[in-house]
Amino acid sequence: DFFGSFYMANTTDMELAGLNSDMSLACEIKHDDKLNDEDGVYIQAALLYTSVSGQRRLRISNLSLNTCDNMGEPYRNCDLDTIVNFLAKQSISKLMETSPKQVKETLMS
């Protein structure tokens, strides 16, 4: 799932009118298979954009993450501002489909 101010013509590509250092976008990644604690997880994202001078550029971000089987561990080491930002974007997105009461109950549980 993707959250933020953007347009999606298909299920994988986000289209943005403009991008600056004050913008944030959120992406929830779901994996249905079992993850191995020793191997970790690798995520790669690519941003294709046009510079002010009209030059096409590609920015690739790579991220390596550890996995664990204890649900408390990620919350001890996470950035609280990032989690709150993600939950806010997710809740605003859900307001389009459900009632505010249901969104509140989802956040509280």
Side-chain angles (χ1 to χ4, degrees):
D1 294 334
F2 299 90
F3 307 100
S5 300
F6 54 85
Y7 170 74
M8 290 188 75
N10 57 38
T11 59
T12 59
D13 299 334
M14 296 171 38
E15 296 181 18
L16 308 163
L19 188 63
N20 60 38
S21 61
D22 295 328
M23 273 183 86
S24 67
L25 301 166
C27 177
E28 181 178 13
I29 299 172
K30 298 176 184 176
H31 184 72
D32 295 332
D33 203 4
K34 186 168 176 73
L35 296 173
N36 189 348
D37 287 351
E38 293 88 31
D39 295 339
V41 175
Y42 301 96
I43 299 171
Q44 186 176 62
L47 174 67
L48 176 63
Y49 65 99
T50 305
S51 68
V52 176
S53 63
Q55 183 182 25
R56 297 290 283 171
R57 295 183 179 175
L58 180 64
R59 178 162 297 214
I60 299 174
S61 299
N62 296 309
L63 182 63
S64 172
L65 301 172
N66 294 326
T67 58
C68 66
D69 55 5
N70 180 4
M71 278 300 287
E73 189 69 26
Y75 291 101
R76 269 191 292 268
N77 299 315
C78 72
D79 181 13
L80 183 60
D81 291 338
T82 302
I83 296 295
V84 170
N85 187 339
F86 174 75
L87 290 174
K89 288 181 185 305
Q90 188 179 44
S91 297
I92 290 169
S93 177
K94 286 182 182 177
L95 279 174
M96 305 295 185
E97 305 162 358
T98 60
S99 69
K101 184 177 181 180
Q102 289 175 324
V103 172
K104 179 183 174 187
E105 289 174 3
T106 303
L107 277 173
M108 301 303 283
S109 61

